[in-house]
Amino acid sequence: MRFPTPQALGGLVLGGLIAAGGLALAQISIGSQGFFGNEVIEIAQGGPGGPSTFGTVGRISSGRSNAYFTAFPTASFTIGGANPTGTTVSTAGVASGGVLLFNVTNGTAITITLPANPVIDGTIIGICNGTAAAWATNAVTVSANTGQTIVGTAATQTLTTLAASTCNKWIWNQVAASWFVMVGG
């Protein structure tokens, strides 16, 4: 069985109204500009008047967003803040879960600060070396944000020689207000 396309349905409805003597103006939007993972939507529970929260499209659609770097940032940055200096990459969508994927091995020493509170319980953040070579000159330090801790290592973690095609990941626990290192994650 074939179902009509949205364009055909719009034509049928509009044609049917005109044929019945009524006048209707309709606008059917076909297509999308695409989503980038940092658009915010409101999520309501229990119907109108119930509690609600906000989330990013990236978190809802796949549980993850990603930020893809082909140039190494030239200064430290916070995930979810302004675009890292030296790049045009947005990390806004990654603040509620996702991966910073680096397809570049050369860089300077920087600190990447994990997202600020509030963080959704269970958020996973990954920093990945997507190249075919281990990082040799990058001293990427990962640190917790204000009021947070990293459990499983010291308060910060340095990824000086992150192996080729590997990721380090952290998972947020709201009760402990801590990022837990995901070994082998």
Side-chain angles (χ1 to χ4, degrees):
M1 172 177 223
R2 289 186 146 181
F3 293 98
T5 65
Q7 295 93 336
L9 283 175
L12 289 173
V13 170
L14 186 56
L17 288 172
I18 292 172
L23 178 61
L25 298 176
Q27 180 177 355
I28 297 176
S29 177
I30 306 299
S32 171
Q33 296 291 330
F35 290 114
F36 300 97
N38 56 355
E39 296 84 3
V40 177
I41 59 173
E42 184 174 9
I43 304 158
Q45 300 173 359
S52 64
T53 188
F54 292 92
T56 63
V57 170
R59 178 76 175 180
I60 302 304
S61 64
S62 66
R64 299 179 173 244
S65 290
N66 68 72
Y68 181 71
F69 293 86
T70 56
F72 209 82
T74 56
S76 299
F77 65 93
T78 299
I79 296 172
N83 291 3
T85 305
T87 75
T88 58
V89 177
S90 172
T91 63
V94 179
S96 58
V99 173
L100 302 179
L101 176 60
F102 290 88
N103 193 18
V104 59
T105 58
N106 57 329
T108 59
I110 61 169
T111 298
I112 299 174
T113 303
L114 293 165
N117 288 330
V119 180
I120 299 169
D121 197 29
T123 293
I124 298 173
I125 302 288
I127 296 177
C128 302
N129 174 359
T131 69
W135 285 355
T137 59
N138 300 341
V140 176
T141 301
V142 179
S143 69
N145 214 306
T146 304
Q148 303 173 352
T149 58
I150 295 178
V151 177
T153 63
T156 60
Q157 185 174 13
T158 302
L159 312 175
T160 305
T161 57
L162 188 60
S165 302
T166 62
C167 299
N168 279 28
K169 295 179 183 175
W170 298 263
I171 186 168
W172 175 251
N173 180 279
Q174 186 66 38
V175 173
S178 297
W179 293 95
F180 286 83
V181 176
M182 297 175 65
V183 178

